[in-house]
Amino acid sequence: MADLQDDLYPATEVGRIDGALPEAEPYPAEAVVVPPETYQPVSDPDDAPLTRAHDVLAAHPVADGYSGLPWALRRLPWYDLDLGESAVDADVPRLRKGRVGAVFWSLHLPEDVQGDRAVGAALEQLDQAKGVVAEYDEGLRPARTAGQIADARNCGRVAVLFGPAGAAALGDSLSVLRSLHTLGLRVLTLTGTSWAGAAGLTRFGEEVVREMNRTGVIADLSYASDRTIRRVLTVSKAPVLFSRSAAHALRPHPANLPDELLAEVGGAKGLCLVPLSAEQTGPTVRDVADHLDHVRALAGPECVGLSGTYDTGSAHPQELGDTSCYPRLIAELLRRGWDESEVALLTWGNVQRVLRGADFFARAAQQRRPPSTATITDLDG
């Protein structure tokens, strides 16, 4: 059975799609050239921290906050995620080897797509992603809630949550937001629209956040402006997350958060998912661990998580080239003195907390507030 495999086998030329998909635009790359340097590997297959890392991850697997796999698969005429697919970073064998228990699949929208075209593109991405999960149901299982994630794990499957999608996917319509949520969307990135931009949230943007709270769609604030971030932290009653943000003090990058915002995220009990991206966190495992230490110190151990950013075109730190490599990072954290309870929060518990918080508030809000019928014309003119 493919779901019992521990090793990655070469991809076969088994057709999984009845005809090639149209040529997709490349995923927006964040790759950088990592300069050559003398590097001593952190991990030794026989060392005690790595053994402990596997033990901890067996009990508390990784909930990976960002994957570009659905978009990466669009360019492949044939693939087999069960047997192993060398053209991607996150096939089922490597997810299992890395002890990944849940993953958020990004529903990528090209930057130039807006309005009705953006809504259609989001629906196509969501439909494709759901089709992939259904095709590989021996290894993957769709999930929306913390309970469904736990059920998938108990059945030996990797839970797949759909999102984040870009805010353009709404087409400036709260009805579309509710429809996307009904179809499975769990996370929405609040950037790139007239109502969530450099100037912050407009009145309609605030209504979008309130309706997201009511439906249970989680706000993703990576790449959002400081004004948008602070206003969402004020308006949102449910926890927010940053799907791929590290510490700006350690490595300047548009998505990385300055120390004062990290402290505010901790105060609001949000979740900062640190990406395994060479551009955002640095070229080595130790660099990623430095960011995790920094975020934990400023936001708190309950407000930091992991975001692989695999299959997005991003270059990854050495020894973290695909999803099978998570134990190496956890081993480095254990060497640094992280308690196993803190690692359990980092890998699994904090994502569970945010999902439960969003669902709890949605159930409460639905008792008090009917679906909003507001339009962008009504509120923003």
Side-chain angles (χ1 to χ4, degrees):
M1 292 292 292
D3 58 342
L4 297 179
Q5 293 176 337
D6 289 324
D7 299 316
L8 174 65
Y9 294 90
T12 62
E13 295 300 318
V14 178
R16 283 290 186 177
I17 300 179
D18 298 331
L21 289 169
E23 186 68 24
E25 299 181 30
Y27 201 97
E30 297 175 1
V32 295
V33 177
V34 179
E37 59 178 299
T38 302
Y39 179 72
Q40 296 298 322
V42 168
S43 56
D44 177 342
D46 299 321
D47 70 4
L50 189 59
T51 300
R52 284 181 63 208
H54 280 283
D55 291 342
V56 173
L57 289 174
H60 308 282
V62 172
D64 184 333
Y66 195 95
S67 169
L69 184 63
W71 189 262
L73 293 177
R74 288 170 64 95
R75 70 176 186 267
L76 303 178
W78 298 283
Y79 54 87
D80 191 320
L81 298 181
D82 279 341
L83 183 60
E85 178 53 66
S86 60
V88 299
D89 300 327
D91 53 32
V92 172
R94 281 179 284 184
L95 287 167
R96 293 188 181 283
K97 188 174 181 180
R99 302 288 190 175
V100 176
V103 60
F104 289 80
W105 278 4
S106 168
L107 305 177
H108 171 64
L109 299 178
E111 291 184 3
D112 60 343
V113 173
Q114 298 290 331
D116 291 343
R117 291 181 60 213
V119 176
L123 289 171
E124 289 174 2
Q125 283 280 292
L126 184 55
D127 181 67
Q128 182 217 358
K130 293 170 76 171
V132 172
V133 175
E135 179 76 9
Y136 294 96
D137 59 353
E138 291 187 0
L140 306 174
R141 175 171 290 190
R144 300 190 187 197
T145 67
Q148 290 174 357
I149 288 176
D151 289 343
R153 172 195 167 196
N154 292 337
C155 293
R157 306 295 192 267
V158 178
V160 177
L161 299 97
F162 301 118
L170 303 191
D172 299 335
S173 168
L174 298 178
S175 296
V176 173
L177 169 64
R178 290 188 289 270
S179 296
L180 287 172
H181 173 260
T182 299
L183 292 172
L185 180 68
R186 198 67 226 256
V187 183
L188 187 75
T189 304
L190 299 184
T191 59
T193 68
S194 63
W195 44 267
L201 292 180
T202 65
R203 290 178 62 203
F204 181 73
E206 292 180 0
E207 188 68 2
V208 170
V209 172
R210 285 188 282 266
E211 193 64 11
M212 289 171 67
N213 284 179
R214 200 193 68 83
T215 57
V217 176
I218 300 167
D220 169 28
L221 299 176
S222 282
Y223 288 92
S225 68
D226 289 0
R227 288 185 177 182
T228 295
I229 292 171
R230 288 193 164 96
R231 190 58 187 155
V232 172
L233 291 178
T234 299
V235 173
S236 180
K237 305 303 181 184
V240 304
L241 60 77
F242 295 76
S243 66
R244 41 182 175 155
S245 293
H248 192 274
L250 301 185
R251 200 168 184 90
H253 185 276
N256 290 351
L257 300 178
D259 287 355
E260 60 270 21
L261 274 180
L262 284 172
E264 291 180 36
V265 170
K269 293 302 179 185
L271 179 57
C272 180
L273 299 166
V274 174
L276 277 57
S277 160
E279 184 177 7
Q280 286 186 249
T281 52
T284 72
V285 177
R286 296 184 184 93
D287 293 319
V288 179
D290 288 343
H291 282 267
L292 292 169
D293 282 339
H294 194 85
V295 174
R296 179 185 63 160
L298 289 173
E302 295 182 349
C303 299
V304 59
L306 297 172
S307 181
T309 64
Y310 291 111
D311 293 308
T312 63
S314 174
H316 298 285
Q318 298 177 52
E319 293 198 273
L320 298 176
D322 60 54
T323 54
S324 70
C325 301
Y326 276 111
R328 299 173 182 173
L329 175 59
I330 301 308
E332 172 63 12
L333 298 178
L334 293 172
R335 289 188 190 94
R336 294 178 177 219
W338 281 54
D339 293 334
E340 291 187 13
S341 61
E342 292 177 325
V343 173
L345 289 174
L346 172 79
T347 59
W348 187 255
N350 290 338
V351 167
Q352 292 282 82
R353 174 184 64 81
V354 169
L355 289 170
R356 288 194 181 100
D359 288 340
F360 176 84
F361 185 82
R363 288 193 297 270
Q366 288 165 17
Q367 301 300 316
R368 301 191 308 267
R369 188 174 189 262
S372 175
T373 59
T375 67
I376 191 169
T377 302
D378 293 338
L379 298 180
D380 291 351

